Amino acid sequence: MPFLLGIDGGGTGCRAVLADAAGRILGQGRSGPANIVTDLEGARGSILAAAGQAGAEAGVEVSAVHAVLGLAGANLPDYARRLAALLPFARSRIVSDAVIALKGALGEADGVVATIGTGSVFAGQSSGRVSQIGGWGFQLGDEASGAWLGRALLARALHAADGLVETSPLLAALSGEMGGPEAIVDFARSASPADFGRHAPRLFDTDDAAATAILAQADAWIARCIDRLAAGPAAQVTFLGGLGPLFAARLAPRYGARLRPARGSALDGALLLARQEGQP
Amino acid sequence: MPFLLGIDGGGTGCRAVLADAAGRILGQGRSGPANIVTDLEGARGSILAAAGQAGAEAGVEVSAVHAVLGLAGANLPDYARRLAALLPFARSRIVSDAVIALKGALGEADGVVATIGTGSVFAGQSSGRVSQIGGWGFQLGDEASGAWLGRALLARALHAADGLVETSPLLAALSGEMGGPEAIVDFARSASPADFGRHAPRLFDTDDAAATAILAQADAWIARCIDRLAAGPAAQVTFLGGLGPLFAARLAPRYGARLRPARGSALDGALLLARQEGQP
C-alpha cells in the first residue's frame, strides 16, 4: 500500500501532509511560496522542502509517495507539466489550488466554494464533477478579489479627481494619505496584486458611497459565478480566503442556510484526492 | 528676441521644431521615445537629440531657446520637475502631451480634444482655460484606449471560456489563434499596453456581439468625458490618436457638425504656447 502526500501551495506558502493509505497522518511540513507561474524553480524548492519535512517526520522516503498537489497557477497546463517533470514522487497529480479547496470544503457533496483573497476563484461540484470559474490572475481577471477591489478604489479616486464621479469621505481620505492623484498613479505603476489588495479591507467597514458602489459590483460578480456553478438552488455555498467571511456576511441575505463552513482544509482535500487516486 | 523650441514627446518618438519669435520655422528634429515616467534619462536623451537636430538646422544654440515641451507623463509633477532640472534650454515649460495637442487642434477656440491611441486622454478649453481628464496610464485608467479595448477583449474571451458570457465568432477566433485561455493568461502576464492595444483594431470592423458590447462601453466613456469638458453644447470636438478616426465615425451621430479636424499638430500647439509665454 502506498503512502499519500497532500500539498497545498500558494503565493504565500506551501504546506504538506503525509498519510498512510487509510488517511492517518504521519507527518507534516511547511515552507515558502509555491506559485508555479511566477516562480517555477522556487515553487519546486518549497514543495520539496515541505514534503521533505513531512517525510522525515513520518520516516518515509518521498520517492515512495503518491502525491496530489493543489497549486496556484496549476490551471495553466504548461507550468503544471513543467513542474511534474521535476518532482521526485512515485506518482504526482497536479491540480489547481481551487480544486483541493473545493474537495476539502465539500468532500463529495454538491456545492460551490468561492475563494476570495488577493485573487478570486470559484469552484463547483455537481455529482462529483468539478468545474472552475476564474483564477486567471489579476491582469485579466480576479474580479471581486482584494487586488481588484483595491485597484477599483484607486481608479475611482482618479475619476473623482477628474470630476467624473462624486468624491466621498473615503476617496478624499485615501487621496490625502497617498499624496494626491499623481502619487496614486505612481503607486499603481509598480504595485503588485498584494499591494493593491491592502487597500481592500477598508471598503467593508463603512457606508461610504464609493465603497458601496464598488462592493455592489463585487457582490454581483460573486453571485453570478456562484449561481453559474451551483448544481441546484439548494447547493451548499462556502466562502474561503481572507475576504471570504466579509463577502459571506454581505451575501447572507441571498444564500441564507446554504452558506456553510468548510468541512476540512485544502490539505484535507488534497489527501482525499490522493486516497481516491489509489482506488481502483 | 528669443528663439522658440517646441517639443512633442511620447512613448514612441520625440519631435522638435525651432522657430523665430514670429513663429517662422528654422529647423526640425526627430528622435526616439520620450516618456518621462517610464524612462526619464532616455526621455532626456531623446529630447536633447531632437532639439540638437533642430538647433543645428537653424544654426541656433539650444541654450538660447525658450522651450515648451509637451510630454507623455508630464501630468505627474514629480517627473516633470526632475526633467526640468536636466534641460539645457534658456527657459523650459513642461506640459502634458494632451495640452499641446489641444492647443494645436483648437488654437484659442473652445472645444474638446479626445486623444485615443494606446492610451486615452481628454483635454478641454473654455475661454482659454484648459482642463484635462484621464491620461493616468493603463494600470488605473486609459479607459476606451487601445490597450483597454484589447484587454477587455481578452478578458471577455476568458469569461466566455468560463461560461459567464456567450461566446462569439470573434472570441472563438481569438482564443484559437492564441492557443486557448491558458495561453491568453500567459500572454497577459507580460503584455505591455502596446501589446494589448494590438488586439483593438479588429473590434471595429465587425458586428460581432462581443465587439459591439465592448465598444458600446468605450463609446459611453468617451462621450462622458467629452460632455464633461465641453464648454457648451456647440463646442468643437476633435479626435486624435490612432483610434481617433474610428471613434469619430462611431460618435458622428452624437456630435454631428461639432466634429472638426485639428487646425494644427501638437508641435504647432507647443510653438503656440512658446510664443504666448514670451508675450508680456
Side-chain angles (χ1 to χ4, degrees):
Chain A
M1 294 289 280
F3 293 98
L4 309 175
L5 179 70
I7 297 275
D8 175 18
T12 54
C14 181
R15 294 181 306 149
V17 59
L18 199 151
D20 65 18
R24 277 184 296 262
I25 291 176
L26 307 174
Q28 301 188 58
R30 179 183 287 270
S31 61
N35 184 311
I36 60 176
V37 175
T38 55
D39 181 7
L40 186 70
E41 267 306 315
R44 174 175 171 271
S46 293
I47 290 163
L48 296 192
Q53 285 172 30
E57 188 181 333
V60 170
E61 291 292 330
V62 295
S63 59
V65 303
H66 286 187
V68 168
L69 303 92
L71 301 174
N75 52 331
L76 303 184
D78 263 12
Y79 294 95
R81 258 193 303 275
R82 272 187 259 164
L83 176 70
L86 302 172
L87 295 176
F89 311 125
R91 213 158 67 183
S92 301
R93 180 179 170 204
I94 300 173
V95 299
S96 85
D97 49 350
V99 169
I100 60 168
L102 178 83
K103 285 288 177 184
L106 301 179
E108 296 306 315
D110 283 354
V112 179
V113 174
T115 304
I116 321 275
T118 301
S120 70
V121 61
F122 303 83
Q125 182 163 254
S126 173
S127 307
R129 197 176 147 273
V130 172
S131 44
Q132 179 173 327
I133 287 178
W136 298 116
F138 184 54
Q139 284 84 11
L140 294 177
D142 282 3
E143 292 89 346
S145 70
W148 185 94
L149 291 167
R151 183 176 57 188
L153 178 62
L154 296 177
R156 197 175 177 97
L158 298 182
H159 296 160
D162 278 341
L164 292 171
V165 300
E166 294 273 335
T167 190
S168 75
L170 174 60
L171 295 178
L174 178 75
S175 187
E177 288 162 24
M178 295 193 71
E182 294 80 9
I184 290 174
V185 170
D186 224 21
F187 166 84
R189 286 190 62 244
S190 57
S192 68
D195 293 333
F196 283 113
R198 274 187 277 280
H199 290 284
R202 66 197 296 177
L203 289 170
F204 288 87
D205 202 26
T206 169
D207 61 354
D208 182 271
T212 302
I214 293 167
L215 286 174
Q217 284 189 289
D219 290 346
W221 184 265
I222 291 168
R224 185 172 164 192
C225 294
I226 289 173
D227 295 349
R228 173 86 201 167
L229 288 167
Q236 175 177 340
V237 176
T238 297
F239 281 89
L240 299 175
L243 299 176
L246 295 168
F247 278 113
R250 291 182 61 84
L251 291 166
R254 183 181 186 99
Y255 294 113
R258 294 170 61 187
L259 284 175
R260 304 266 287 281
R263 298 180 189 197
S265 70
L267 218 39
D268 295 329
L271 265 194
L272 174 62
L273 281 172
R275 288 178 69 183
Q276 292 173 340
E277 289 279 296
Q279 287 164 5
Chain B
M1 292 289 279
F3 292 97
L4 308 176
L5 179 70
I7 296 276
D8 175 18
T12 55
C14 180
R15 293 182 307 150
V17 58
L18 198 150
D20 65 18
R24 276 184 298 263
I25 292 176
L26 307 175
Q28 301 187 57
R30 178 183 288 270
S31 61
N35 184 312
I36 59 176
V37 176
T38 55
D39 180 7
L40 185 70
E41 267 304 316
R44 173 176 172 273
S46 294
I47 290 163
L48 296 193
Q53 283 172 31
E57 188 181 333
V60 170
E61 291 293 330
V62 297
S63 59
V65 303
H66 286 189
V68 168
L69 303 91
L71 301 174
N75 52 330
L76 304 183
D78 263 12
Y79 293 94
R81 258 194 303 275
R82 272 187 259 165
L83 176 70
L86 303 171
L87 294 176
F89 311 125
R91 212 159 69 184
S92 302
R93 180 179 170 205
I94 299 174
V95 299
S96 85
D97 49 350
V99 169
I100 60 168
L102 178 82
K103 285 289 177 183
L106 301 179
E108 296 306 316
D110 283 354
V112 178
V113 174
T115 304
I116 322 275
T118 301
S120 70
V121 62
F122 303 83
Q125 182 163 254
S126 174
S127 307
R129 198 177 146 273
V130 172
S131 45
Q132 179 173 327
I133 287 178
W136 298 117
F138 185 53
Q139 284 84 14
L140 294 178
D142 282 3
E143 291 89 347
S145 70
W148 185 94
L149 291 167
R151 183 176 57 189
L153 179 62
L154 297 176
R156 197 175 177 97
L158 298 181
H159 296 162
D162 277 342
L164 293 171
V165 299
E166 294 273 333
T167 189
S168 76
L170 175 60
L171 295 178
L174 178 76
S175 187
E177 288 160 25
M178 296 193 70
E182 295 80 8
I184 291 173
V185 170
D186 225 21
F187 166 84
R189 287 191 60 244
S190 56
S192 68
D195 293 334
F196 283 112
R198 274 188 277 279
H199 290 283
R202 67 197 299 176
L203 289 170
F204 289 86
D205 202 26
T206 170
D207 60 354
D208 182 272
T212 303
I214 292 167
L215 286 175
Q217 283 189 289
D219 290 346
W221 184 265
I222 291 168
R224 185 171 164 193
C225 295
I226 290 173
D227 295 350
R228 172 86 201 167
L229 288 168
Q236 175 177 342
V237 176
T238 297
F239 281 89
L240 299 175
L243 299 176
L246 295 167
F247 279 113
R250 292 182 60 84
L251 291 166
R254 182 180 186 100
Y255 294 112
R258 294 171 60 187
L259 285 176
R260 305 267 287 281
R263 298 180 188 199
S265 69
L267 218 37
D268 295 329
L271 266 194
L272 175 62
L273 281 172
R275 288 179 67 183
Q276 292 175 338
E277 289 278 297
Q279 286 164 6

